[in-house]
Every structure is written in C-alpha cells, then in structure tokens.
Amino acid sequence: MTDNRQIVLRQRPSGTPRADDFGVVTGPMPEPSDGEFVLRNLYVSLDPGIRQRLSQVDSYVALIDIGDPLTSTTLGVVTASRDPRVSVGDHIVGFHTVSEYSLTRWAPMTRKVDLDATASPSHHLSILGMTGLTAYFGMLDIGRPKAGETVLVSTAAGAVGSVAAQIAKIKGCKVIGIAGGAEKSSRLITEFGLDAAIDYRGKDLPELTSAIRTAAPDGIDIYFDNVGGIQLDAALDCLTVGGRVAMCGLISQYNAEGPIPPLTNLFKLIAKSARIEGFAVLRYADRFPEALSDLSSWVRDGRIVFREQIEDGIESAVPAFLKLFDGRNQGKMMLDLTRR
Ligand code: NDP
C-alpha cells in the first residue's frame, strides 16, 4: 500500500473542537531526504494538549497551521531511513504527525524503545510515555511529597492524574482525587487505591471547597492540577502553610470562548507562604531514564495500575480526541494503527 492518510486541521476551532474542524487527507508515501526517516505509526497518543496547538499562540509547542497535519506523540517502526542513528525495523517514540506514516527527524524527545520490554507496545505511550513521565516529574519534582502529607489531584481518574495520585500514595501520602461522575469517583478508591474521592460535577466553588475540607480537615499540602478554574480556586483556599501547587494542565480553559473567570483565592499563596509552579514534561528529557526505571518497577510490583482506551484506525482519531473534553475517555486515549 503506498498511500498515507493523515489528520489535518481544516479550520481553527472556536470553543470546543468539532469533527468538521478536521479532515482525513490521503497523500503519497513520504520519502526521506538526508537526516530524515519514515515511521509506520503503530500507536498514536491523543492528548488534551493538542487543543493548545490548534489556536493558542502562546503554547510551548508550535501552533499547527490550517491544512497541516496534527502532531502528537506516536510509536512507530522505521520503514526507511537516511539518518545513520536509525535503522529500518527500529521502534521509535517521538513527536510526529498524526498519520499512518510520518516523515520525521531525530529530536530531543525521540527515543528508541524495546517492544519486548513491556506487556503491550502501547505502554510506551501511556505509563512509560508522556503520561507517566508527566505524572512522575510533576508530582516528585514540583510537588515533592513527604510521607504523611495530604495530596489533592484533579482528573484523578484520567491518564496523568491517576498515575500522579498513585505516586503520591507510594510516597506515603493521604491522597484525595477529584473526578467527574459517580463511576469515575468510585474508581478512584476501588481501582486506584486513593483515600477519598470528590465528584466535581454540579458543584460550585463553595461546594467544592467544602468537599475538600471534609476530605482533608487539616488542609492540602500538595495540589496536582490538571484542570484550573474553580477546582484550582477551591484547592488554593484549602492549602496548608508551605503548600505546593503543581500546575500540570488547565483543561477547563482549553475550549474557553470568553474571558476566563478570575481566581478568587490567590491571596492564599501569600497567607500560607505557598507556591504554585508550572512545568512542561519536555524540559525533563535528559532525566527520562531515571523516571522510566522507577515507573517500570512500580508497574511490575503492582504499585501502579493504569487504564488505556485504545480506539481503532486513523479514522477514529478525531472522535477519540473529542472524548477528552467531555470525560468519555476512561484512561489514556490512544489510536491503534497496527491493523492498517
Ligand atoms: P485525561 O486522561 O485526564 O483526560 C482528560 C480528562 O479531563 C477527561 O477525562 C475529564 O475527566 C477531564 N475534563 C475534560 N474537560 C474538563 C473540564 N472542562 N473541566 C474539568 N475537567 C475536564 O487526559 P491526560 O491525562 O492526557 O491530561 C490531563 C492533563 O495533563 C491535561 O490538562 C493536559 O493538558 C495535561 N498535560 C500536561 C503535560 C505537561 O507537560 N505539563 C503533559 C501531558 C498532559 P472527568 O471525566 O474526570 O471530568
């Protein structure tokens, strides 16, 4: 087969992305020039962060132009190479086009992976990919949990959140998760082993704050934030002296059409000598081996469990991506292109 289907941006979304903002375009098989190689993608990671690159000019990765393919982390096998570091048959994880075949170059995030080292190749994009790495560095480097502390995590039933929460448990913390809906909330305790769960759906700021205070009467030492908005505002109100907020993501704002409502509890950072710090996992590329070693051993020992939601075929890319914004994903969202 010589054609290559890719997902392109047709128009910049206004608010929540819609299926017709994207298109599937068939093009010729790419040919590498010097320094380039071609991957047949096996799995594609679909991340909320793609939304930032569709219309946000100040994202830390480049804006996608109209007509250009979406980009994300993929796992692929090399089918042609004009880079001496890469051979046909190598398995590569890196930042590539969302397409059946990607023409690419070696970059700081590129790494070769051993498919025999994991129970499923998809793990290289989930627990041993950006998801696990983000949870690891955000919780350990920014949150710096100490045994006995109380940790709050938003989107705690999601890909990054569920791993971040379990890492805090491994470090001996009491962990409270926030998730949307009864099913995900109960999963926080029964499946991920957290100490308490809060269903944020339908709660306003006072109700959320009260739910956090009930679960953590002595306050929150660390808040791992994937959401922003009123969840962040409520968490700020509950911080302890010396509290830390690890700012991982702001999914409640990615589709905002008007001005974002201001935070009302920022003064708590002063009153509690607390700290809020954002981070981008890309900045930790030189420390990935240390994180991957810890994450692998925690998975092997059963100390971390994780969910993947894998949809089939390139034509599922857009519907799967849209599920991230209404909570229909039940774990790390990925595409399986192995049956192409
Ligand atoms: P998830 O698997 O957590 O899926 C997204 C979840 O977000 C949904 O399931 C839903 O959970 C929740 N959600 C969606 N819309 C809203 C909303 N409007 N308000 C509140 N919650 C919402 O995705 P990931 O684990 O891949 O990503 C989680 C976060 O991590 C994102 O903010 C992402 O941008 C960030 N991230 C940051 C990185 C970094 O380097 N800093 C790297 C990778 C990801 P529910 O059903 O519980 O509502």
Side-chain angles (χ1 to χ4, degrees):
M1 211 179 292
T2 54
D3 60 324
N4 177 31
R5 288 181 297 168
Q6 54 186 12
I7 307 298
V8 299
L9 179 64
R10 285 216 186 286
Q11 59 194 9
R12 300 215 177 279
S14 157
T16 304
R18 301 182 330 201
D20 61 1
D21 295 330
F22 309 93
V24 184
V25 168
T26 302
M29 180 63 65
E31 289 288 339
S33 304
D34 279 350
E36 295 179 331
F37 56 97
V38 175
L39 288 176
R40 180 166 90 81
N41 287 314
L42 305 175
Y43 292 90
V44 176
S45 170
L46 293 171
D47 309 317
I50 294 173
R51 176 66 183 90
Q52 297 292 88
R53 303 198 290 281
L54 302 180
S55 51
Q56 180 118 342
V57 285
D58 62 354
S59 179
Y60 52 90
V61 273
L63 188 69
I64 296 168
D65 286 330
I66 307 284
D68 276 0
L70 305 194
T71 45
S72 191
T73 311
T74 78
L75 161 65
V77 59
V78 177
T79 56
S81 175
R82 289 183 65 182
D83 178 335
R85 289 166 292 192
V86 174
S87 305
V88 170
D90 283 349
H91 288 98
I92 300 281
V93 167
F95 201 64
H96 307 125
T97 50
V98 177
S99 49
E100 292 170 316
Y101 290 84
S102 295
L103 179 66
T104 188
R105 287 178 175 273
W106 195 271
M109 289 290 285
T110 309
R111 55 196 172 93
K112 288 187 193 179
V113 296
D114 175 5
L115 295 200
D116 295 331
T118 52
S120 162
S122 59
H123 294 181
H124 290 292
L125 296 185
S126 59
I127 186 67
L128 301 179
M130 285 257 286
T131 293
L133 293 163
T134 301
Y136 183 94
F137 289 110
M139 183 54 76
L140 296 180
D141 249 56
I142 313 287
R144 297 184 201 159
K146 295 191 261 312
E149 289 190 320
T150 300
V151 176
L152 179 70
V153 179
S154 54
T155 69
V160 171
S162 62
V163 178
Q166 291 173 85
I167 291 173
K169 283 299 295 175
I170 289 169
K171 296 298 170 186
C173 298
K174 170 179 169 175
V175 183
I176 301 152
I178 307 179
E183 193 185 333
K184 283 190 180 178
S185 302
S186 87
R187 188 182 300 160
L188 298 183
I189 294 169
T190 56
E191 189 170 320
F192 299 128
L194 309 194
D195 299 287
I198 296 169
D199 176 0
Y200 74 86
R201 292 250 164 94
K203 289 190 173 57
D204 61 14
L205 178 59
E207 289 165 337
L208 261 179
T209 310
S210 150
I212 296 170
R213 285 199 197 292
T214 302
D218 297 328
I220 298 296
D221 299 299
I222 298 170
Y223 175 47
F224 188 103
D225 189 21
N226 288 312
V227 169
I230 63 167
Q231 295 188 35
L232 170 60
D233 215 0
L236 287 173
D237 201 18
C238 299
L239 286 177
T240 56
V241 172
R244 286 88 75 199
V245 177
M247 176 61 65
C248 176
L250 293 168
I251 196 165
S252 73
Q253 300 177 191
Y254 294 169
N255 297 324
E257 289 181 83
I260 312 278
L263 295 168
T264 59
N265 289 311
L266 272 178
F267 189 77
K268 285 290 164 88
L269 293 173
I270 298 165
K272 300 287 181 177
S273 298
R275 179 166 60 83
I276 186 164
E277 187 175 348
F279 69 98
V281 70
L282 313 183
R283 312 257 186 263
Y284 287 92
D286 58 339
R287 290 180 52 201
F288 284 178
E290 123 200 13
L292 293 171
S293 162
D294 281 345
L295 289 164
S296 303
S297 79
W298 290 332
V299 171
R300 236 184 351 258
D301 300 346
R303 302 183 80 188
I304 288 188
V305 296
F306 57 97
R307 278 191 176 224
E308 298 177 335
Q309 180 165 349
I310 305 181
E311 314 259 315
D312 210 20
I314 194 79
E315 57 286 338
S316 302
V318 172
F321 174 61
L322 299 183
K323 287 178 187 172
L324 294 169
F325 299 103
D326 59 15
R328 276 180 297 152
N329 67 310
Q330 305 294 326
K332 174 63 207 150
M333 183 57 93
M334 281 179 272
L335 282 184
D336 179 345
L337 303 184
T338 57
R339 281 182 283 278
R340 181 193 193 267

